[in-house]
């Protein structure tokens, strides 16, 4: 691969208590591309995703060995600031999780906690972020209504806008469409492709068509191991491993 | 589907987050420091619960163990004679223990069937309309202050017993048990109802789909599944009954005798709590009698702790087996139902007939509970409303409270409650935040939780005794407003911790994750994402605590309250009048003040019920918002 790498793991192992959830993962996530992680339930793809912004820190029983590098810096270095890491590496979750605040306040939340105070700057960030998440046209007349009044698909785009508002370099998406209907899913996929112009997107998905449609690179995981990682077209047309082929042709999963 | 929207604007150029030196390295050191300091502070506050429990126990034991030295533990526990005022004083607590056990047992015999009936009625049978009447009514029953129950029991219930059963006096075991039953009903009903309505829907549907009647479903599937919850409900109600002081003290006659024969429900009895309530006020500090009373408090505490501990064990076991195998319960129920169907001759009645009978009985129990509330409210409102005049509300008492007003009592109650909240709210909320947000399950948090449970189960009279021994005497506050405020504050602390915890727990973890994923610190997340939506729940808990603090007599009887005071307190060091204590003294010690008693009871009732209604309204509104 001759792309420049933004995120990289080296021999990453992770345990939840006794459960060895990730085994010797080494992967290089190319910058400004969409990378999809696929694999059957419980294969560790969400766990790997949550390693990139250290969300696994929140789970007491988790333990990690190996290295994770973001722009060449180890994110577990003793001086690394976990909050700054999460600011640079945003995340969108499986189920939309807007805060119980207005649409505006949801998007403004991130900039506010990072110290932006002036109303004008916030207004602009909210507008830009909502535009970036393709929600502005639908939301601009109801910015101060509760976010929970939006539809599921709109809520998910709001969550994307919310993470855009802190200017991340990477956006991690953990099955962002699994709680959405096909139309909302199509909108989000569309958005993902466009986001890749300015951001690096890593998406975990159950849906192989989604990976094929929306991603540039695909990693196939199985039982905690990264079986294969390559261009999406290569993975889907000419997989190097038999296991991968069996999975994408639907023989198991 | 909408057409393509405007292309996303690349925005690399806000420049607002480009603070100097924002690499990955230590830019957030300050935030992390704040976070760590807040965590330490909260831990420090949370430890307060443990410290309080420790102090309560130390102070009770310190004074209580003397009596064991003086009379011997055996003589104290099983001595048949309690006569501290005689020429030859005797300190045998046995009649008091028996009194407590008897009064509680009969109260439970009355309360349990009525409560379970009411719980099943509201959870299973009542339509939404009826339920929206019965549930708040039961909650209001919980809100009536115990001194108002005592007042009602003394003037109406005891009188009725005297006449109806042709007894020389109506102040008796029976009167105490009936009152305690009414007071325990709301506790049992609401916990049992939770247990019944948390039985998963598929259990009911599975049974109904087999052709079982609604009653067969309730009897064979729902109630067995909810049994451990109902058991916990009964024990919690029992704890409430054992720890009750004022109502019991006012109607049981208070003779320290064991009923002879033991089934004589018209005999007067005296309970552990009643003894403390009556004698603590006039005992000489440091005397044998004083030590004996602390010994009694220790016995009381041990009993209530054992009872509440049992409830906790049951609840824990219930939670441990909460993931049951529905198919097993269902197949068992199915076999019972089909068995009944295949043996038509063995059946006593047609299922529909037995359903009708059962529902009639269940509805009847709910009706009795409603009637009890109705009678109490009616009696006090009808007789009390007449006593309300401008002078009554704004004047000072004259002629030992037979004339004049109760304004100093209203003001005193206000100050007591305000102070109690000022003590308990910050402590309670901080403790709950620490418990829910900052730690996983460690021995330390388990210790804090156990301490909170312990405080929660401690009878209010024991708080009064602790306040007296520690604040009034040991710290030399004297009988004062501040001693009462702190005592009441400690008493409502567990309620505030519990409701705040529950409220925080109901905030989904995904919201916290959403905030962390944006780079927020723990404290930022708590303050901006978790606490705001939890606020209504916390508020409800606070309001309920206000109601409880306003109505309690036992904790302030020896720490803060005086019967007569023409003026308002000018400092925290002065004693105050308080509504519940005023009512207590008027009713029990001042002949010829019945109009004033009714008036005071009415004002107190109105105050407390208004507070409870406010809590119910807040919760309703909150629930509606959540649905949206």
């Amino acid at each position: 691969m001759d792309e420049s790498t933004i995120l990289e793991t080296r021999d990453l192992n992770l345990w939840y208590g006794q459960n060895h959830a990730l085994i010797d993962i080494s992967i290089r996530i190319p910058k400004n591309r969409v990378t999809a992680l696929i694999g059957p339930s419980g294969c560790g793809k969400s766990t790997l995703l949550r390693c990139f912004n250290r969300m696994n820190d929140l789970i007491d029983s988790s333990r990690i060995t190996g290295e994770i590098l973001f722009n060449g810096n180890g994110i577990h270095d003793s001086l690394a600031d976990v909050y700054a890491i999460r600011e640079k590496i945003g995340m969108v979750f499986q189920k939309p999780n807007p805060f119980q605040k207005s649409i505006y306040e949801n998007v403004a939340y991130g900039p506010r906690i990072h110290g932006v105070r002036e109303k004008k700057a916030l207004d602009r960030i909210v507008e830009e972020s909502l535009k970036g998440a393709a929600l502005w046209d639908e939301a601009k007349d109801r910015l101060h209504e509760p976010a929970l009044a939006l539809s599921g698909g709109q809520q998910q785009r709001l969550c994307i806008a919310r993470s855009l508002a802190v200017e991340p370099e990477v956006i991690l998406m953990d099955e962002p469409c699994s709680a959405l209907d096909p139309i909302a899913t199509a909108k989000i996929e569309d958005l993902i492709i466009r986001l890749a112009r300015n951001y690096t997107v890593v998406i975990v998905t159950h849906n192989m068509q989604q990976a094929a449609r929306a991603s540039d690179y695909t990693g196939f995981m199985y039982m905690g191991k990264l079986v294969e990682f390559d261009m999406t077209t290569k993975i889907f047309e000419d997989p190097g491993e038999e296991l991968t082929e069996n999975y994408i042709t639907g023989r198991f999963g | 589907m909408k057409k393509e929207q405007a292309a996303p604007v690349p925005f690399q150029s806000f420049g607002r987050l480009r603070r100097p030196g924002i690499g990955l390295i230590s830019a957030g050191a300050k935030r992390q420091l704040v976070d760590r300091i807040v965590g330490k502070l909260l831990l420090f506050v949370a430890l307060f619960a443990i410290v309080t429990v420790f102090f309560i126990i130390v102070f009770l034991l310190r004074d209580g163990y003397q009596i064991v030295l003086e009379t011997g533990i055996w003589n104290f526990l099983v001595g048949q004679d309690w006569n501290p005022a005689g020429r030859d004083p005797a300190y045998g607590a046995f009649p008091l223990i028996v009194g407590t056990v008897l009064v509680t047992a009969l109260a439970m015999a009355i309360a349990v069937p009525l409560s379970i009936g009411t719980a099943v009625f509201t959870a299973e049978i009542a339509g939404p309309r009826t339920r929206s009447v019965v549930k708040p009514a039961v909650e209001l029953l919980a809100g009536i202050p115990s001194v108002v129950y005592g007042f009602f029991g003394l003037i109406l219930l005891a009188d009725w017993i005297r006449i109806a059963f042709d007894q020389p006096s109506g102040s008796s075991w029976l009167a105490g048990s009936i009152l305690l039953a009414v007071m325990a009903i709301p506790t049992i009903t609401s916990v049992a109802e939770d247990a019944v309505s948390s039985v998963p829907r598929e259990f009911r549907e599975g049974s109904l789909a087999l052709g079982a009647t609604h009653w067969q479903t309730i009897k064979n599937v729902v109630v067995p599944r909810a049994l451990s919850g109902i058991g916990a409900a009964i024990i919690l109600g029992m704890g409430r009954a054992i720890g009750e002081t004022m109502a019991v003290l006012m109607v049981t006659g208070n003779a320290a005798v064991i009923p002879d024969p033991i089934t004589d429900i018209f005999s007067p009895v005296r309970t552990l709590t009643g003894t403390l309530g009556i004698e603590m006020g006039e005992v000489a500090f440091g005397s044998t009698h004083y030590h004996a009373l602390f010994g009694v408090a220790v016995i009381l505490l041990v009993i209530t702790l054992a009872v509440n501990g049992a409830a906790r064990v049951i609840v824990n076991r219930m939670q441990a087996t909460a993931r049951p195998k529905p198919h097993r319960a269902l197949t068992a129920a199915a076999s019972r139902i089909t068995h009944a169907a295949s043996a038509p001759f063995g059946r006593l009645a047609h299922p529909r007939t037995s359903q009708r009978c059962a529902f009639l009985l269940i509805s009847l129990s709910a009706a009795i509970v409603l009637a009890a509330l109705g009678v109490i409210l009616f009696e006090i409102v009808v007789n009390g409303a007449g006593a309300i005049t401008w002078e009554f509300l704004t004047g000072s008492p004259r002629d030992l409270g037979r004339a004049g007003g109760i304004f100093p009592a209203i003001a005193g109650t206000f100050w007591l409650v305000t102070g109690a909240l000022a003590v308990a709210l910050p402590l309670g909320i901080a403790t709950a935040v620490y418990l829910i947000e900052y730690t996983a399950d460690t021995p330390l948090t388990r210790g804090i939780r156990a301490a909170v449970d312990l405080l929660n189960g401690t009878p209010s009279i024991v708080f009064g005794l602790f306040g007296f021994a520690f604040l009034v005497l040991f710290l030399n506050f004297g009988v004062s407003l501040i001693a009462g405020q702190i005592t009441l504050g400690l008493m409502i602390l567990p309620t505030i911790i519990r409701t705040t915890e529950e409220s925080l727990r109901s905030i989904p973890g995904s919201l916290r994750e959403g905030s962390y994923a944006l780079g927020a610190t723990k404290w930022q997340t708590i303050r901006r994402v978790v606490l705001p939506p939890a606020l209504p729940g916390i508020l409800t808990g606070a309001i309920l605590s206000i109601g409880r603090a306003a109505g309690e007599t036992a904790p302030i009887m020896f720490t803060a309250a005086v019967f007569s005071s023409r003026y308002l307190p000018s400092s925290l060091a002065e004693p105050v009048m308080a509504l519940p204590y005023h009512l207590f003294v008027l009713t029990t010690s001042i002949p010829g003040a019945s109009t004033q008693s009714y008036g005071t009871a009415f004002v107190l009732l109105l105050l407390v019920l208004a507070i409870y209604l406010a809590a119910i309204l807040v919760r309703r509104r909150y629930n509606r918002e959540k649905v949206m």
Side-chain angles (χ1 to χ4, degrees), chain A residues 47 82 115 128 140 145 150 159 171 176 187 248:
Chain A
T47 305
V82 63
E128 304 277 346
K140 65 179 176 218
E145 285 174 34
L150 294 170
C159 292
I171 302 172
K187 282 191 185 177
I248 58 174

Short mmCIF file of all heavy atoms in Angstrom, two decimals, chain A residues 47 82 115 128 140 145 150 159 171 176 187 248:
data_model
loop_
_atom_site.label_atom_id
_atom_site.label_comp_id
_atom_site.label_asym_id
_atom_site.label_seq_id
_atom_site.Cartn_x
_atom_site.Cartn_y
_atom_site.Cartn_z
N THR A 47 -14.50 -4.22 18.99
CA THR A 47 -13.46 -4.05 20.02
C THR A 47 -12.25 -3.34 19.44
O THR A 47 -11.70 -2.41 20.05
CB THR A 47 -13.05 -5.43 20.56
OG1 THR A 47 -14.22 -6.10 21.01
CG2 THR A 47 -12.07 -5.30 21.69
N VAL A 82 -5.71 11.32 26.81
CA VAL A 82 -6.79 10.52 26.25
C VAL A 82 -7.91 11.41 25.71
O VAL A 82 -8.56 11.10 24.73
CB VAL A 82 -7.32 9.51 27.29
CG1 VAL A 82 -7.91 10.21 28.49
CG2 VAL A 82 -8.35 8.58 26.67
N GLY A 115 -13.66 24.49 25.08
CA GLY A 115 -13.29 25.86 25.38
C GLY A 115 -13.79 26.94 24.44
O GLY A 115 -13.38 28.08 24.55
N GLU A 128 -21.80 24.68 10.05
CA GLU A 128 -20.88 23.92 9.20
C GLU A 128 -20.99 22.43 9.47
O GLU A 128 -20.98 21.62 8.55
CB GLU A 128 -19.44 24.36 9.49
CG GLU A 128 -19.17 25.85 9.32
CD GLU A 128 -18.91 26.23 7.87
OE1 GLU A 128 -18.68 25.30 7.07
OE2 GLU A 128 -18.96 27.43 7.55
N LYS A 140 -32.36 23.27 9.95
CA LYS A 140 -32.02 24.67 10.20
C LYS A 140 -33.17 25.47 10.81
O LYS A 140 -32.93 26.45 11.51
CB LYS A 140 -31.53 25.33 8.91
CG LYS A 140 -32.59 25.44 7.82
CD LYS A 140 -32.04 26.12 6.58
CE LYS A 140 -33.09 26.12 5.49
NZ LYS A 140 -32.55 25.90 4.17
N GLU A 145 -35.16 22.82 18.87
CA GLU A 145 -36.07 21.75 19.31
C GLU A 145 -35.24 20.60 19.87
O GLU A 145 -34.07 20.45 19.53
CB GLU A 145 -36.92 21.27 18.13
CG GLU A 145 -38.02 22.24 17.77
CD GLU A 145 -38.76 21.82 16.52
OE1 GLU A 145 -38.91 20.60 16.29
OE2 GLU A 145 -39.17 22.70 15.76
N LEU A 150 -36.10 14.21 16.49
CA LEU A 150 -35.70 13.84 15.13
C LEU A 150 -35.96 12.37 14.88
O LEU A 150 -36.06 11.58 15.81
CB LEU A 150 -34.20 14.12 14.94
CG LEU A 150 -33.76 15.59 14.98
CD1 LEU A 150 -32.24 15.66 15.02
CD2 LEU A 150 -34.29 16.34 13.78
N CYS A 159 -25.54 12.83 15.25
CA CYS A 159 -24.37 12.33 16.00
C CYS A 159 -23.10 12.48 15.17
O CYS A 159 -22.03 12.74 15.70
CB CYS A 159 -24.58 10.87 16.40
SG CYS A 159 -25.88 10.69 17.63
N ILE A 171 -12.95 9.47 11.90
CA ILE A 171 -14.26 9.19 12.47
C ILE A 171 -14.46 7.68 12.49
O ILE A 171 -14.39 7.02 11.45
CB ILE A 171 -15.39 9.85 11.66
CG1 ILE A 171 -15.16 11.36 11.60
CG2 ILE A 171 -16.74 9.56 12.31
CD1 ILE A 171 -16.11 12.04 10.66
N PRO A 176 -23.06 1.98 12.12
CA PRO A 176 -23.89 3.18 12.29
C PRO A 176 -25.28 3.03 11.69
O PRO A 176 -26.14 3.84 11.97
CB PRO A 176 -23.10 4.27 11.54
CG PRO A 176 -22.31 3.52 10.52
CD PRO A 176 -21.97 2.20 11.16
N LYS A 187 -28.74 7.26 2.92
CA LYS A 187 -28.25 8.63 3.15
C LYS A 187 -26.94 8.63 3.90
O LYS A 187 -26.03 9.39 3.58
CB LYS A 187 -29.29 9.42 3.97
CG LYS A 187 -30.47 9.90 3.16
CD LYS A 187 -31.27 10.87 3.99
CE LYS A 187 -32.53 11.27 3.24
NZ LYS A 187 -33.38 12.15 4.00
N ILE A 248 -17.69 -14.00 2.60
CA ILE A 248 -18.38 -13.02 1.75
C ILE A 248 -19.33 -13.69 0.78
O ILE A 248 -20.25 -13.05 0.28
CB ILE A 248 -17.38 -12.11 0.99
CG1 ILE A 248 -16.45 -12.94 0.13
CG2 ILE A 248 -16.60 -11.23 1.93
CD1 ILE A 248 -15.58 -12.08 -0.74
#
